[in-house]
Amino acid sequence: MKPNTVRIKAEGFNRTRLLDALAGKNIEIFDFASGAEYREFEFSVRKKDLSKTFAILQELCYNYKVQGFSRYAAIGKKLLSRLGLIVALAVFCTLAAFSRLYVWRVEITGNAAVPDKVIENVLREHNIAVGKRLSNFDSGELESAVRSIEGVKLASVSLVGATVCVEVFESEPVSPPLAYSDTDILSEYDATVTRIVTREGTALVEPGRHVFAGAPLIGAYRTDEEGNKIPSRASGTVYGKVAFTKSVVVATERYEQTAVKTEEYALIEFFGLTVGKKPPSGAGVIITERTEKLNVFLPVSIKRVTVTQTEMRKVTVPAEELAQRVEDEFVSEFIHSRVSSGLTVSRSVRELGGGTYRVSVFITAETVISGGA
């Protein structure tokens, strides 16, 4: 759980509408996760956005409650009820006082394109890794080594307690070369054209025109003053409104894993060791974990484990709820697989008999329809 955030548990349908509403108010969410029941989910927001988040949840008629705050004081309060954990923590802190000569943690920030693992491998070549003895820490040498990584422009390496802090400033990304086609650029979808960006060649469509898949959008030629066609390369991007459909047959009666018991466990993680009662595992057990760092200087973390025991039960789910599930899944798949804007969603439900229904979901969105270049 990030610092200065609040964990909220909510219950309701159409999560897409809630996420859109939060994004519309510039509210950033963290650690979004589904709950044991389909309608339940959890997420975190910054404390400064809490009042706006509550207002949106109330407006959209969601049931919700606050799960916890990311305050170290709250962590300490819960630890007081667990004497065994407090004793273990005291032992570990005592060991920490005699272990300053070792690297306990490597913290890397500022990198987006360069993976952590690449930076960690370079540091390891200079004997800097978790568990390694700090025999000789030369920040200048380490910074030079990190700067030698492709994509890294500047680097700062410092030692804070037993933590090696690496801050990276990456090189400016290089724009990919423009792609061109020696033939006409064609449409990949049946669509209504909304925008045309032509870099080379001749635009063959205009906004508002309906085109079918395979229709030419940008011609691989240009015209001279007399209207003659001169062969040329085609390059550009054409956007259009496209309709996507998904149909699924669902049954209102089914066997589902149903939560029957939920327990929470708190474990201490310290330098590769874990202290605390081991949570149960096995068939029908769902485990969710959340780790919170207790101290910036010490590699001590509190792992909170939620164990939900389930069993197969016959359940009856309303057709409308099943339809909402199908819609949520299709919208989620669509957003993750296509770059689009102006998303509109609708659905229809038709009874087939015997407790079965056909759910059809329709999505209309603006997306790139031009293939090739």
Side-chain angles (χ1 to χ4, degrees), residues 185-350:
I185 295 176
L186 309 179
S187 176
E188 293 186 336
Y189 305 97
D190 293 348
T192 300
V193 177
T194 56
R195 292 182 287 156
I196 307 104
V197 180
T198 305
R199 292 190 290 265
E200 191 169 346
T202 301
L204 303 177
V205 294
E206 62 281 338
R209 178 175 173 181
H210 183 77
V211 297
F212 295 98
L217 303 175
I218 300 177
Y221 64 88
R222 58 185 178 84
T223 56
D224 59 16
E225 295 179 355
E226 298 177 355
N228 298 315
K229 294 183 179 181
I230 302 173
S232 169
R233 295 179 302 180
S235 178
T237 306
V238 182
Y239 300 83
K241 282 282 187 180
V242 183
F244 300 87
T245 305
K246 179 179 182 179
S247 293
V248 177
V249 175
V250 297
T252 55
E253 290 189 351
R254 64 176 69 187
Y255 283 90
E256 289 186 352
Q257 289 283 0
T258 304
V260 295
K261 182 180 180 182
T262 300
E263 296 179 303
E264 292 191 354
Y265 297 81
L267 309 174
I268 288 182
E269 293 185 335
F270 180 89
F271 205 27
L273 300 176
T274 301
V275 176
K277 184 180 178 181
K278 184 178 179 180
S281 60
V285 175
I286 300 175
I287 297 178
T288 57
E289 299 179 352
R290 187 172 72 250
T291 301
E292 302 165 346
K293 295 178 181 177
L294 190 61
N295 189 288
V296 72
F297 298 105
L298 300 176
V300 180
S301 300
I302 304 298
K303 178 188 286 188
R304 304 199 177 281
V305 182
T306 301
V307 178
T308 303
Q309 296 183 1
T310 66
E311 62 182 32
M312 293 296 294
R313 290 183 178 178
K314 185 177 181 179
V315 297
T316 301
V317 183
E320 190 61 25
E321 180 177 332
L322 293 172
Q324 185 65 62
R325 293 188 189 185
V326 174
E327 178 181 320
D328 289 347
E329 291 172 0
F330 185 31
V331 170
S332 178
E333 292 171 2
F334 183 87
I335 291 173
H336 284 87
S337 62
R338 293 179 177 86
V339 178
S340 61
S341 61
L343 190 76
T344 59
V345 184
S346 61
R347 69 172 183 256
S348 66
V349 180
R350 184 164 65 93

Side-chain angles (χ1 to χ4, degrees), residues 9-38:
K9 182 176 182 179
E11 180 180 342
F13 297 115
N14 203 343
R15 305 175 189 179
T16 304
R17 183 175 60 163
L18 174 61
L19 297 179
D20 287 343
L22 294 173
K25 295 294 184 180
N26 295 319
I27 298 174
E28 189 175 4
I29 65 173
F30 307 92
D31 304 326
F32 189 95
S34 298
E37 296 288 341
Y38 173 75

Side-chain angles (χ1 to χ4, degrees), residues 170-191:
E170 296 180 332
S171 305
E172 292 295 329
V174 179
S175 299
L178 295 178
Y180 295 91
S181 174
D182 293 325
T183 59
D184 294 349
I185 295 176
L186 309 179
S187 176
E188 293 186 336
Y189 305 97
D190 293 348

Side-chain angles (χ1 to χ4, degrees), residues 342-362:
L343 190 76
T344 59
V345 184
S346 61
R347 69 172 183 256
S348 66
V349 180
R350 184 164 65 93
E351 186 173 2
L352 301 178
T356 61
Y357 296 79
R358 179 178 296 279
V359 180
S360 298
V361 181
F362 311 95

